[in-house]
Amino acid sequence: MRTDQILTRLERVFARLDREPERPAHLQTPQMSRHRVVLLGSTLAFYLAIVVAVLTTSWLVRLDWQIMFFRPYEQWPQLHAFLDYLVVLGQRGPTAVMVAAWLGWRSWRQHTLRPLITLGVALLLLNVTVGSVKLGLGRLGPHYATEIGSAELFAGGDIFPSGHTANAVVTWGILAYLASTVVTRRVLSVVSAVVSLSVGATTVYLGTHWVSDVLLGWSAGLLIMLALPWFEPLIARTEAYVFDVREALRRRAETGRMPAPVVAALTPLLSAGGKWQLRPAAEGAGQPAPAPAPAPAPAAPSGTAAATPGGHSPAPRPAAHTAGRQHVIRSERTPVTPAGSRRPAHTERAAARGTAARPVAGG
């Protein structure tokens, strides 16, 4: 007899996760050092300076218009087809899917949710900070500008800062942030910087962003990457909570018991019938089980009558419903052969053959 255990889908997922250790010991969480704080302050000052320069319609706005009239896409048209594909590296949808797939595989191998949670926190910060500034300033892009020399602010646009540039900084920079070695972190930092600079310059070439949009997008993405160590305690608590929920689901799947609130709700209903009574799992497994209800008295045999105080006898019960009779399945019953032939008589056939009944003599 085969006794192999059949695992459910949830148990198979847990078994795959348990193949790796809880977390590699060589992974170090970035700390908010003094050097990082200085970089964060400098980037924030640069961010505010760009916003003030655009609000006051300074030389930076004039530079935006000069490059817009230069029309780089007309000066070097042979680069247009290639840069149309390169700018995709800054779009949030494709890049988030690619990076999330890589970090998801890494989380599965290392049995840690920190890479995926860190990516989620960074993208959430990106949407909140960049999106709020976009909608608040409402700047129009070069293709939709209406007044030459104007900053095109508060006109219902959503172009300032550049979302492509900020997304490239955060999405590809998160790979360097989560690198496990110093050499890998440096290499990925250079790669993410090159990609983000290329994406920002490509948007200016295509005429979809001003130069000031790209500068503010770079600083916005860098601010998020520099501030991520402040969110590491939140990331750690979120990871611990998810693993606690997983352990609770695993124990429930292994024991197969109902939750205690459900048992407590069903106890009055089941005990009202007098059959048995459930106990919540919190009471412990060492208590004795409740005694079953007493069995009913055996019924009287067929054809007999039990006397009653009034002198009358109740009607006898059929023998098929007696309590002591053992039920016999259909395959174990003795077949019964009926007497005589099962074929019905065909008088019309006998009359046709001339074998009709003869008259009785002696009348």
Side-chain angles (χ1 to χ4, degrees):
M1 182 176 180
R2 186 175 180 179
T3 59
D4 296 342
Q5 184 180 3
I6 301 177
L7 300 178
T8 62
R9 181 177 299 179
L10 184 62
E11 292 173 345
R12 288 196 299 268
V13 172
F14 290 154
R16 291 177 182 177
L17 290 176
D18 289 337
R19 292 188 305 175
E20 297 295 329
E22 282 292 331
R23 187 172 179 176
H26 64 277
L27 293 182
Q28 297 180 357
T29 303
Q31 303 295 327
M32 202 66 186
S33 60
R34 182 178 302 176
H35 177 69
R36 187 180 289 269
V37 172
V38 172
L39 288 177
L40 179 65
S42 303
T43 307
L44 181 60
F46 182 72
Y47 184 96
L48 296 176
I50 294 174
V51 174
V52 172
V54 174
L55 288 174
T56 58
T57 317
S58 64
W59 62 269
L60 186 57
V61 177
R62 293 193 297 269
L63 178 63
D64 290 338
W65 280 98
Q66 291 175 1
I67 295 180
M68 193 273 287
F69 285 131
F70 182 69
R71 291 181 175 84
Y73 56 88
E74 293 181 357
Q75 302 295 329
W76 302 285
Q78 64 275 12
L79 300 177
H80 201 290
F82 171 74
L83 295 181
D84 276 339
Y85 290 101
L86 180 63
V87 78
V88 178
L89 296 178
Q91 291 183 359
R92 191 162 307 167
T95 55
V97 170
M98 290 187 294
V99 174
W102 166 255
L103 295 181
W105 180 84
R106 181 177 172 182
S107 297
W108 177 73
R109 292 293 298 174
Q110 296 178 350
H111 201 172
T112 175
L113 296 177
R114 178 174 172 266
L116 287 177
I117 298 176
T118 305
L119 176 63
V121 170
L123 293 180
L124 180 62
L125 292 174
L126 177 67
N127 292 332
V128 172
T129 56
V130 175
S132 59
V133 176
K134 277 176 174 287
L135 298 178
L137 296 178
R139 190 181 191 186
L140 295 176
H143 292 312
Y144 303 96
T146 58
E147 183 180 354
I148 298 177
S150 172
E152 301 294 336
L153 294 173
F154 310 109
D158 56 350
I159 208 72
F160 183 70
S162 171
H164 274 71
T165 306
N167 182 74
V169 174
V170 172
T171 306
W172 301 108
I174 202 70
L175 299 179
Y177 180 83
L178 296 172
S180 56
T181 61
V182 177
V183 177
T184 306
R185 184 178 295 111
R186 290 176 180 176
V187 172
L188 291 178
S189 299
V190 173
V191 172
S192 62
V194 171
V195 172
S196 58
L197 289 174
S198 302
V199 170
T202 300
T203 59
V204 176
Y205 168 87
L206 297 175
T208 57
H209 280 287
W210 308 98
V211 175
S212 55
D213 297 342
V214 175
L215 295 177
L216 196 66
W218 280 331
S219 56
L222 188 58
L223 282 175
I224 295 173
M225 297 306 302
L226 291 174
L228 271 181
W230 281 336
F231 295 89
E232 286 293 340
L234 175 63
I235 295 172
R237 289 195 298 268
T238 304
E239 182 184 16
Y241 173 76
V242 172
F243 277 122
D244 290 341
V245 172
R246 189 200 70 169
E247 292 299 327
L249 293 176
R250 173 187 288 180
R251 289 193 298 267
R252 183 176 301 178
E254 290 177 354
T255 58
R257 297 177 180 176
M258 291 185 297
V262 178
V263 176
L266 293 179
T267 298
L269 300 177
L270 296 178
S271 60
K275 294 182 178 181
W276 59 79
Q277 185 175 3
L278 294 176
R279 299 189 310 275
E283 296 182 4
Q287 299 183 4
S302 176
T304 61
T308 59
H312 300 283
S313 298
R317 294 184 178 180
H321 298 282
T322 55
R325 182 177 178 180
Q326 182 179 4
H327 177 71
V328 180
I329 61 177
R330 187 179 183 90
S331 61
E332 296 179 358
R333 297 176 184 174
T334 304
V336 179
T337 304
S341 175
R342 295 186 179 182
R343 299 180 60 182
H346 299 281
T347 56
E348 64 279 2
R349 294 182 182 179
R353 295 178 184 178
T355 57
R358 296 180 181 180
V360 181

